[in-house]
């Protein structure tokens, strides 16, 4: 079992030490919820806290150090007594972009694949009258995924590469991530 190192509240406090923008905090919490969902669904119940904390802390350095993303994170995390295994997991989400640490563990591959995707699904939800994931379906997500102008900041090539890492078809990744966001929608918002 992988050690969580800190509670979810402590991880959120650590995130907020370096991030003040609601967007970054909401994104981190959404990724945390998605990873927690996958941990449970894929039989890693004893690692849910670890997976969720990696999700919360994956962009810890992005707001203050965008040009050093995944490079400054190890320093910030070591100061908080986070172990090397969690630091590796966090930094691996930038593989091929701003890090040379390749996702190895299933959770790291899911983080890599869903980081950008949660942004795309979140943007799609904001366009709906309900502002909710609940009335979304795979067809609507596929349409937004194919439209390169929609949520242009969400890199589809990274999402596709993540699906490939996992050995999943893109539809499977889109569907499972949407299901995760639908299932844990109420938890994905932080006041």
């Amino acid at each position: 079992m992988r050690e969580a190192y800190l509670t979810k509240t402590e991880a959120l406090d650590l995130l907020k030490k370096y991030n003040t923008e609601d967007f970054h905090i909401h994104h981190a919490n959404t990724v945390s919820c998605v990873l927690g969902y996958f941990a449970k669904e894929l039989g890693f119940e004893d690692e849910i806290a670890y997976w969720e904390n990696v999700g919360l802390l994956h962009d810890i350095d992005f707001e203050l150090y965008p040009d050093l993303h995944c490079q400054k994170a190890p320093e910030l995390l070591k100061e908080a007594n986070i172990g090397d295994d969690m630091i590796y997991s966090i930094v691996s989400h930038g593989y091929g972009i701003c890090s040379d640490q390749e996702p190895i563990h299933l959770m790291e591959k899911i983080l890599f694949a869903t980081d950008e995707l949660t942004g795309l699904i979140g943007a799609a939800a904001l366009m709906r009258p309900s502002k909710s994931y609940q009335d979304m379906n795979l067809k609507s997500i596929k349409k937004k995924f194919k439209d390169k102008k929609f949520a242009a900041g969400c890199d589809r090539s990274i999402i596709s590469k993540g699906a490939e890492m996992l050995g999943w078809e893109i539809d499977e990744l889109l569907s499972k991530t949407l299901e995760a966001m639908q299932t844990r929608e109420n938890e994905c918002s932080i006041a």
Side-chain angles (χ1 to χ4, degrees):
M1 184 171 103
R2 294 172 150 210
E3 184 181 347
Y5 295 102
L6 60 178
T7 66
K8 190 166 184 176
T9 300
E10 291 167 335
L12 183 58
D13 288 344
L14 180 58
L15 173 70
K16 288 181 176 182
K17 181 177 177 181
Y18 301 102
N19 293 267
T20 58
E21 294 179 17
D22 288 342
F23 172 81
H24 291 136
I25 295 166
H26 178 75
H27 170 68
N29 194 54
T30 298
V31 173
S32 175
C33 287
V34 167
L35 289 181
Y37 172 86
F38 276 108
K40 183 178 179 190
E41 290 298 306
L42 298 173
F44 293 89
E45 289 89 355
D46 58 341
E47 293 187 16
I48 290 174
Y50 181 90
W51 289 42
E52 289 181 343
N53 285 345
V54 167
L56 268 178
L57 298 173
H58 80 282
D59 281 345
I60 190 168
D61 60 359
F62 189 78
E63 187 176 315
L64 291 179
Y65 309 101
D67 295 334
L68 295 173
H69 183 40
C70 292
Q71 296 168 36
K72 190 73 172 171
E75 175 188 329
L76 304 178
L77 295 165
K78 283 181 184 186
E79 286 175 9
N81 296 315
I82 303 301
D84 290 339
D85 57 336
M86 186 175 281
I87 292 171
Y88 185 96
S89 293
I90 289 166
V91 173
S92 73
H93 88 278
Y95 179 65
I97 309 156
C98 55
S99 167
D100 60 359
Q101 294 184 3
E102 185 173 0
I104 298 167
H105 185 276
L106 179 60
M107 180 272 305
E108 295 163 354
K109 293 175 184 180
I110 292 170
L111 172 60
F112 182 91
T114 61
D115 183 22
E116 297 282 317
L117 181 53
T118 59
L120 184 128
I121 294 172
L126 290 175
M127 300 295 292
R128 302 179 79 78
S130 67
K131 307 281 191 245
S132 173
Y133 310 125
Q134 299 306 318
D135 58 350
M136 297 175 76
N137 58 39
L138 177 60
K139 183 179 177 183
S140 66
I141 297 303
K142 283 175 66 171
K143 185 176 179 182
K144 297 297 186 190
F145 181 80
K146 290 177 182 176
D147 179 0
K148 305 291 190 238
K149 292 179 183 175
F150 178 79
C154 297
D155 191 329
R156 275 76 165 165
S157 67
I158 292 172
I159 297 167
S160 296
K161 185 176 179 179
E164 187 178 308
M165 276 183 195
L166 289 163
W168 297 353
E169 294 296 325
I170 194 69
D171 284 7
E172 182 178 6
L173 175 62
L174 298 177
S175 179
K176 286 181 176 184
T177 304
L178 175 60
E179 183 178 318
M181 293 173 77
Q182 288 171 329
T183 302
R184 296 196 60 188
E185 182 168 13
N186 292 337
E187 299 168 71
C188 290
S189 298
I190 300 177

